[in-house]
Structure formats: C-alpha cells, structure tokens
Amino acid sequence: MNRIRTAAALASSALLAAGLTTLAPTASAAPTAGGAPTAATSAALSATPHRVLFDNSKGETAGNADWIISTAQPDPLAQNANPTTEKSWTGALSAWGVALQKTGQYSLKTLPAGSTISYGTGAALDLAKFDTFVIPEPNIRFSAAEKAALIRFVQNGGGLFLISDHTRSDRNNDGWDSPAIINDLFTNNGVNNNDPFGISVDVKNISTDNPRAINDAANPVLHGPFGTVTGSILRSGTTFTLKPADNPNVKGLVYRTGYSGTNGAFFATSAYGSGRVAVWGDSSPADDGTGQPGNNLFNGWNDPAGTNAALALNATAWLSKA
C-alpha cells in the first residue's frame, strides 16, 4: 500500500518510552466501609494491571501489514520479559506495547492467528478476561458469533479500540477490507444492528493530511497520562461520519483539515452500555517502522506531524478505565 510518510522523528523510541513511563497513571485503592483504604487493598489494587488484548486473528499481518506487538503470541514477554525499546519485541506495533509494558501497570496478550474472538466462554483469551481489546486494521470479516461477542463485551464494560484503513485496502484479497468489516460490525452484529456507537466508516481513500485535535482541555484522551495530543497523521486512510442521533455519546477528537462536527472525524470515541469505544482512521500513525523482515514499514508513531504515541496510549488508558 502506497503511503507518504515523514521520515523524521520527534525523538528516539527509547527516549519516548522512557518519558512515557514517568507519566503513567497510578491505581487508586477502593475505600473500606469506613472510607479509608486498607494497606492490603491498596497493595492489591496497585499490583493489578490493566489487561489489554491485541488482535492478530483477523489478518493483521497480511500483505505488507505487521500490526502486532510481538511475534511471541499470546505472551510478548516470552520474546523479551524486560523490553526497553520497540526493537525488544518484533512487530510494527511494538512501540505501543513496550510503552505500556514499561509502566508496570498493563498486562498484554495477543489473540493469535487462527483464534476465535469470544466473550463469556471461559477460554484462556476470552474477552471477559480483558479490559481492552485492540483490533488494528482487520482484514478478515468477523463471524456472526464474534460480532455479537464484541458488542456484548463493550455493553458489559469493555473497551474496544478499532483501527481502520482506506477503502480497497484488502490485503489478503478475500473481498473484505477494514472499512467494510468495521461497518458490518456496526450494522449487522445481531445484538444492536442500529449503529450502537453512532459511528460509520467513510468509504474513502485519503492520500495525505495532518488532522488536528479539537480544543478540549478536559478530555482524558487528548490530555491524558501519556501527554497532550495536538493531532495525528493520515497517510492513505479514511475518516468517520458521526451520528449523535444514534448514540449521543459519540465525540470527534481529531479531524481532517477543514472538517468538524459530524463529518471528517479521524479519531472518535463513544460509549455504549457500561463500555467505551475508540476508532482511528488509519494504521499509519501506529506503525513504529520496525517489524518482521520483508515488510515495508514507516515510522508514523514518532512522526513530528502528529502526537500519535500520546493518542494511542491515552486512548488505551481511557478504554481500560485506568
């Protein structure tokens, strides 16, 4: 897939990860009946990590993609138990994973290729055992059971992070690309087929833009534990149409140049039931430029035209209710 990328980086990934570690949130203890947390409760909560599952069951490494945090799956710690930079793990999303791992407050796993997405089955990697599920540019259509599982996961308190790409980005040539797959999830899931999140993926291929963040000092994704978000990058991606009539919780946070309101959202969030959703219109910003040999990757994670690391990590924290 052709992409225009800025080659320069704001800083090395090692420095970024080190800086992000100091900004990570700390867990708070629940009060006892008397109002004060016990030492045991505080220790237990501070030791309980936020559980994040990254998907690799839907063709995330098809073609030139490498949207994984590590080739060691399901547990990236099997590749390197003490990662220091994105090169400690192999995958174009390794910078994302390593930055979370280094805080000491996240437990990361990957749903491997050939697996089935489930909720409430008791399986080892069932969504009920995680706080957030990240699906970076799916290239295989979700089954009916998987779509229902995803909606119920959010409905019951889970965080869902979806990354789309441009139309006609069918990397495995099965007739389905990420915009069609995500729209199918939103409108044909068997639980709520009426746009439960108030979001529709635009069927577009936008070659390049530097979308900017809205001005909202109180927003926890734009101003979160991992820094302030000023914008992102769009390098062959798409946008979203927001439908507050379907779900009044939907909110655009980053917009394509010249757009606002319900049109041209590049990064948006919503809430459904007791859970949360975030959507991003391009896989380019999460790409850290490293991965498996033979893939043509680019460093969008550190591209100075956006604050992509802060956006991805703040959103992960918000979805995980960190």
Side-chain angles (χ1 to χ4, degrees):
M1 179 171 61
N2 294 324
R3 290 183 178 167
I4 304 167
R5 303 280 181 104
T6 304
L10 283 172
S12 71
S13 296
L15 288 176
L16 175 65
L20 292 177
T21 302
T22 63
L23 291 169
T26 56
S28 58
T32 62
T38 66
T41 301
S42 297
L45 286 177
S46 64
T48 302
H50 305 293
R51 305 159 300 171
V52 181
L53 180 66
F54 284 80
D55 188 53
N56 187 32
S57 73
K58 293 294 172 276
E60 281 87 354
T61 60
N64 196 49
D66 199 28
W67 312 141
I68 55 174
I69 59 171
S70 171
T71 50
Q73 299 175 12
D75 188 358
L77 297 181
Q79 181 173 15
N80 188 323
N82 296 290
T84 55
T85 74
E86 73 278 5
K87 292 184 178 179
S88 299
W89 293 346
T90 304
L93 303 188
S94 57
W96 188 346
V98 168
L100 292 174
Q101 179 66 34
K102 288 184 68 176
T103 69
Q105 297 178 23
Y106 290 85
S107 171
L108 310 178
K109 293 291 188 294
T110 296
L111 187 66
S115 302
T116 297
I117 298 168
S118 67
Y119 179 68
T121 66
L125 297 174
D126 188 271
L127 292 182
K129 298 180 179 181
F130 294 89
D131 302 303
T132 293
F133 187 35
V134 182
I135 309 179
E137 195 190 335
N139 265 267
I140 299 172
R141 186 187 183 192
F142 304 115
S143 70
E146 289 176 322
K147 287 183 285 187
L150 289 168
I151 300 301
R152 295 201 184 283
F153 169 64
V154 177
Q155 193 175 43
N156 293 330
L160 179 62
F161 200 148
L162 293 162
I163 301 177
S164 184
D165 207 69
H166 61 84
T167 187
R168 302 184 69 179
S169 56
D170 179 9
R171 297 178 186 267
N172 59 352
N173 300 311
D174 68 347
W176 286 85
D177 59 18
S178 55
I181 290 167
I182 295 172
N183 279 334
D184 180 60
L185 169 65
F186 292 167
T187 61
N188 185 30
N189 56 66
V191 178
N192 182 340
N193 297 327
N194 298 314
D195 184 27
F197 308 139
I199 301 169
S200 178
V201 185
D202 298 329
V203 182
K204 293 182 177 181
N205 185 351
I206 303 163
S207 61
T208 186
D209 189 41
N210 295 324
R212 296 297 90 189
I214 64 170
N215 183 16
D216 186 350
N219 187 275
V221 174
L222 299 180
H223 302 274
F226 295 96
T228 296
V229 174
T230 58
S232 188
I233 62 169
L234 199 169
R235 307 290 186 260
S236 293
T238 191
T239 53
F240 306 99
T241 296
L242 310 183
K243 301 178 181 180
D246 293 344
N247 186 327
N249 297 302
V250 69
K251 185 176 181 65
L253 301 185
V254 179
Y255 282 86
R256 182 184 178 191
T257 303
Y259 289 79
S260 62
T262 59
N263 296 312
F266 182 62
F267 194 101
T269 60
S270 190
Y272 178 68
S274 56
R276 298 171 174 178
V277 177
V279 293
W280 210 345
D282 189 5
S283 53
S284 308
D287 184 350
D288 65 21
T290 72
Q292 300 176 83
N295 290 323
N296 188 24
L297 303 168
F298 302 87
N299 191 352
W301 184 257
N302 289 317
D303 193 311
T307 45
N308 300 308
L311 183 54
L313 295 165
N314 284 347
T316 306
W318 176 75
L319 290 167
S320 303
K321 301 178 181 178

